[in-house]
Structure formats: C-alpha cells, structure tokens
Amino acid sequence: MPEETETHPAERLLRLLATGATAEELGEAGAAAPASAALAQRVHRTLAQHRRREAQLTALFDTATDLAASRDLDAVLQAIVRRARLLLGTDLAYLTLPDEEAGDTYMRVTDGSVSPLFQTLRLELGDGLGGLVAQTARPYATPDYRTDARFHHTRNIDAGVLDEGLVAILGVPLSLGKQVIGVLFAADRNPRPFSPDEVALLCTLAAHAAIAIDTARALDDTRAALADLATANEVIRAHSTAMQRAEEAHDRLTDLVLRGGEVPAVAEAVSALLGGSITVLDPHGHRLAGEPEPDGPDVDGLDIDALVAESRASGRAVAAGQDVDGRWVCAVLAGQELLGSLVLAGRPRLEDADRRLFERASVVTALLLMLRRSVAEAENRVRGELLTDLLDSPERDPAGLVQRGLRLGVDLRRPHVLLAARATGPAGAAASRGRLAGAATRLLFGRGGISAEHGDGVVLVLPTGPDPVPPGTPGVTGAAESPSAVAAGAAMQLSQLTGAPVTVGAAGPAGGVTELAAAHAEALRTQRALCALGREGDGACAADLGFLGVLLGEGHDVRGFVRDTLGPLLAYDARRGTELIRTLDAYFACGGSLTRAKDELHVHVNTVVQRLDRVEALLGRDWNHPERALELQLALRLHLLTA
C-alpha cells in the first residue's frame, strides 16, 4: 500500500482560511512557507474587512429602514447612537443638539453612559470638541481629550468628561446642506486612534441622524400646518355660520320693521334667534315687552341703572355679573338719548356673533321706538288741537268735541284725570313750554292719554278705569291709582325729563266735556297753590291740601271735607249719644281752657278731660297740633253751619 503523502503547506493554509482561523493560527501554520503565509494573512485581512463592511452596510440599511418605518425621532436617534457604539466598538456614543431658546448645546441621546453629570451636560456654543466640529463642519478625533489643545476646554465639559472617564473621542457633524444641526460622537475610556473607515462610518450614521431630525421637523411643521389649517377651517366655518345667522337675523328683523312689527314682536324674534328670553324695559326700568316666563329674567334682581349706564358708556352689551349668570343687558339708544334697555336671560356665554346680534336687536328696538314716538307725536298734535278747543270753548259744541275725540281714539265721556303742569323754580326759564310739551309726549308714549300746550304750561288728560294702563306705572293713572299719586309721579318724571322742577296739579276723575273743563280749572288752581306754598317740583290734588283744597276745589266739597276730618267723632256721637263734637267745639272756643270749657258745657272738669281723651283715641295724638287743630276748627264751623 502506498505511503500517505504529507499535506502541502499552501493547501493547509487554504483549509485554515476556509474554516475561519485566526491570524495567529495562520502564522503558526505558515512557518514552513513564509510566502504562502503572508499571502494567507492578506487574504484573511481582506475577508475581515469585507465582513466589517458588510456589517456596516447592514447597520446602515437597518438605520434607513428605521427612518422609513418610524415616526418617533427619539427611537431613531437612540438606534443610530447604539449602532455607532457597536460598529465602532467604543465604550460610549452620544449626540448633541443646539437649544435655540437657551442659546447653548445639550446632550440629546447617549448610549453606554454611566455618569448623570455627563448625561445632563450643557455646552456653550463653540466650546469643547463638539464646538470645533460645529464651527468647522468637519469631523475631529482625539486619542486623548484631556491633553488635546486644538479646542477650547471648559470647566464643566472637562468635569463631565472626567466623571464619565472618557479619553479618546471622535465627533462628526450632523449637516443639512451647509448648516450643522448637531454633532454625533463615539468615545472610549482608553486611548485609541480612529481609522478613516471609522470616521467615514460615523459620518454616514450622522447623515442618517440629520435626515431623521429634518424629517421629524418637517413632520412637526406639517402637523402644525395641518392643525393651523383645521383651526382656520373651523374659524371660517364658524364665521360662515355666524354670517349666515346674522343675515337671517337681519332679514327677519328688517321684515318685522317693514311689516310694521312692534317691539314685542322684535323681542319674540330675538328670543328665538338667541335661544334665550328677552325683556324690553323703558328708561325707568319698567317692562314694555317680553313678560318673563317662570325661568325668565328676574329684572327686579338686577341693578338695571348701573348695567344700562355701563352698556351706554361702552356701546356694547354687558354681562350682569357672576351672581346673576346667564343674563346680559344692552342699552337702547338714539344718539345720546336713552330709550330703554334689553335684558337677555338664559345665556351664560354669549359668543361674538350672538353678542352682535343682541346689540343689533337694540338698534332695531330703538328704531321702532323712535317710529312709534314720531307717530305718537303726530297723533298727539292732532289730539292737542282737540284738547285746546275743549279747554277754551267747551260749551260751543260739546257733542262735536266728543265725536272728534272718538275719531282720534279718545272717549271724552269716560273718566279721566286731568293734570296741569308748569316748569317752575330757578331753572324754569330754561325749560320752555315747548320742551315741557315734548317731555309730556314722552311721558304718555305708549300709555294712552293726550297732552297739549295751554297757557304758560302743559295739560295732560289721562284715562282711568280698568283697561288703559297697568297699575303702578309711574306718571300715569290706572285702576288702582289716585289723582294724587298720578300727579306726584308725573311731577317727578317731568322734572327728570326737562331738567327743571315741574309742578303738577291734578283733578278728577271727570268725564264729559264740561266736567273736564272744570277739572282743568281745579287742577290749575291746585298747581298755582303748590307754587304759592313753595312746593315747586311737587304734584298733588286739591284733597291733598286740606282746607285749602276746599277753598280751591271746583264745587267746594264741604260735606266731604267735614266727613273726612270729623268722621270718627260724628259716628261715635251717633252711635253712643255722646257730645264729643260739642265738647271739642267748646274746647277750641275757650282757647283750650279746660276750666272755661266745663263752665260752657255745664259739666265737671273731669268729664271734659275724659271726652278729650276719647277725641284723642279716635283722631290720633296729633289732634291738638296747630295744623291739625286748624283743620278741625274749620271742619267744626262748616259742620255747624251746614247742620
């Protein structure tokens, strides 16, 4: 059998290369064939280099895949830094980015770091190795950071590097065109050089990181742009909706005005448009339209005067305040003149479009009120002519006057309160009769009645009874108001409207042409008596003036005065058969002397005292005060004379 031949050294080296032997193993096997061993070593290095490049390409491919698949910038940057550390075989890799707001550079991502000080390190622009890389836009490597004088060392950077234990550092720029947006680092805790291949690999990874950052920023910008577009779209849609609502509201309110709609119709329309409850008030806070529902605006709970003043000053609707959430007030103005106000309830929040609609409703309300006033003034001028003829020549054609009144909507046959008003006091001259006439027209606006200039003042005729005016309306009469209350209210409001004291005398109720003329004479005498008594700016009827009213009143109601003054005593005497009236008359006739009175009455003085105590119990403790005593004495005289 032939003897086995020995394996050739070259073949043995090839077998070792095929099995992945190390360089040391190749060296030992090629001792007998140095030339073949050297060639095997070259082949080994080439294969190792190819494997390294294959790993690098695989890492780059994985990084590109991450960039394409991931939208999380932190995850992509963390993967790039980790791969840089693994591919370069360093102890640490990290990435820094500039902070535009703070004006420095901060540590964005780290991998392999163990030092909290290093992980939170912030660098001033231009400091350290990273500053040199960012300024020159070129990669820099140092085998020993602490002894390298090519860049600016700072205390905090050196402290962080020392705390982490770093020695060799490689930094490459993250570039977008000519702009450096950050620096990618690989570092070792031992001295080492970095080969050109390692620098190129880190530069490639840095390029991927720059793309990732730019893509993330572009996505953020896109999201922000989309959000802005969505917001703008919402604004446009809201504006379009508001414009459409405003157009509908404008058309609806315009149609109301053109069809001759009244203020209640406007209140109802605006309530429907705003989804709340509208109440229309006059300048004095009294309701004109929009009676509140059970859950409607509690007008009495608002400080209307203050809210209207605020709205009038700002020209805008104002919220009623935190304690009355859901209510808004808007002044109704014609120039500087206050015509009233609108109160909206049930809307805690009022957007700009709805607020403008509410304010527009106040303008429409002002227009309607002005139109109504103009019509009322025109009608009142015609009615004023009727009133002038009635006062000047009531006996000429009473039936004709009644018919003229009926054609004008005034029934002179029904009861009326008649007021005689005149501007008096130091400011009276400034308040001309024409100005007072205008104030009287405004006072009667929407409340019935007629007025006219007459003599040196103005006459107002107001219907009484159950239907014309709600009770309690200041300045006008109603079923529950007396002429005295009507006169007082009219004097107060006319004084406010003219800016001067207005004195008002009242008479009535009276119905019929002749009776109204007589009531005017009585009201005029009462008004002059008030001025004579120094009561300018006041309002009263003849009955309010006591015995002066008997002297001034038309018809001189003596029995009524006696009954009102002595009624309790007369009734007591009639019921008990006593002599309180005779005792009181004797007491006054004797000058208030009990002794002389008991002689006059032929009774004991204690009897006089007891009877006067009874008088006090029936008439009140002030029966013997001078003013009351004067009325009692006059009533006693009239009673004895008429009896």
Side-chain angles (χ1 to χ4, degrees), residues 150-210:
R150 290 178 298 168
F151 41 82
H152 182 240
H153 288 265
T154 63
R155 179 178 301 175
N156 64 323
I157 298 176
D158 290 349
V161 170
L162 179 63
D163 192 57
E164 189 67 60
L166 299 181
V167 178
I169 302 176
L170 168 62
V172 298
L174 279 67
S175 300
L176 289 174
K178 296 183 179 180
Q179 181 184 7
V180 177
I181 62 171
V183 179
L184 177 62
F185 298 88
D188 243 336
R189 295 188 174 89
N190 297 301
R192 62 168 282 185
F194 291 95
S195 68
D197 288 344
E198 291 174 328
V199 174
L201 174 61
L202 197 60
C203 286
T204 304
L205 291 173
H208 282 295

Side-chain angles (χ1 to χ4, degrees), residues 173-508:
L174 279 67
S175 300
L176 289 174
K178 296 183 179 180
Q179 181 184 7
V180 177
I181 62 171
V183 179
L184 177 62
F185 298 88
D188 243 336
R189 295 188 174 89
N190 297 301
R192 62 168 282 185
F194 291 95
S195 68
D197 288 344
E198 291 174 328
V199 174
L201 174 61
L202 197 60
C203 286
T204 304
L205 291 173
H208 282 295
I211 293 172
I213 294 172
D214 187 52
T215 302
R217 288 177 177 174
L219 287 174
D220 288 342
D221 292 343
T222 301
R223 293 190 189 98
L226 289 175
D228 291 341
L229 280 175
T231 302
N233 189 41
E234 288 297 325
V235 171
I236 292 172
R237 184 181 294 111
H239 182 69
S240 176
T241 303
M243 290 293 293
Q244 184 177 357
R245 287 192 62 204
E247 183 178 355
E248 293 174 356
H250 180 269
D251 292 343
R252 188 167 179 179
L253 294 177
T254 302
D255 184 61
L256 277 175
V257 174
L258 294 178
R259 287 191 294 105
E262 294 293 338
V263 173
V266 173
E268 182 179 353
V270 177
S271 296
L273 289 169
L274 294 178
S277 178
I278 293 287
T279 300
V280 185
L281 306 177
D282 68 6
H284 307 286
H286 300 287
R287 191 172 289 107
L288 294 179
E291 290 293 333
E293 302 297 334
D295 57 348
D298 178 15
V299 175
D300 296 334
L302 297 178
D303 187 354
I304 287 294
D305 291 340
L307 292 169
V308 170
E310 182 181 352
S311 174
R312 187 176 185 179
S314 65
R316 300 295 307 276
V318 297
Q322 295 181 352
D323 56 333
V324 282
D325 282 341
R327 285 185 284 178
W328 296 75
V329 176
C330 187
V332 178
L333 301 172
Q336 295 299 316
E337 181 184 355
L338 178 65
L339 301 180
S341 59
L342 300 183
V343 179
L344 169 64
R347 288 295 303 270
R349 294 186 59 189
L350 206 58
E351 304 297 337
D352 286 343
D354 288 346
R355 188 173 180 180
R356 286 193 295 271
L357 174 57
F358 182 44
E359 292 163 354
R360 181 176 297 178
S362 73
V363 175
V364 175
T365 303
L367 175 62
L368 289 179
L369 291 176
M370 291 298 294
L371 288 174
R372 287 178 56 189
R373 180 191 292 182
S374 299
V375 172
E377 289 176 349
E379 293 178 348
N380 197 63
R381 282 193 293 271
V382 179
R383 293 176 177 179
E385 296 173 358
L386 168 67
L387 184 56
T388 300
D389 292 343
L390 183 149
L391 298 179
D392 290 343
S393 306
E395 70 286 344
R396 180 179 300 173
D397 185 11
L401 290 173
V402 170
Q403 290 302 317
R404 285 173 59 188
L406 291 175
R407 287 195 295 271
L408 296 174
V410 179
D411 187 356
L412 298 177
R413 298 167 300 181
R414 63 177 295 176
H416 289 77
V417 169
L418 197 139
L419 304 178
R422 184 166 69 92
T424 56
S432 64
R433 192 179 68 167
R435 184 175 178 184
L436 180 58
T441 302
R442 292 172 60 185
L443 179 67
L444 298 178
F445 175 52
R447 298 171 178 175
I450 56 177
S451 65
E453 299 179 31
H454 194 267
D456 57 356
V458 172
V459 179
L460 298 88
V461 178
L462 304 170
T464 63
D467 58 307
V469 182
T473 304
V476 295
T477 188
E481 286 190 300
S482 66
S484 175
V486 175
M492 178 186 68
Q493 294 199 36
L494 291 174
S495 298
Q496 292 176 350
L497 292 172
T498 60
V502 176
T503 308
V504 179

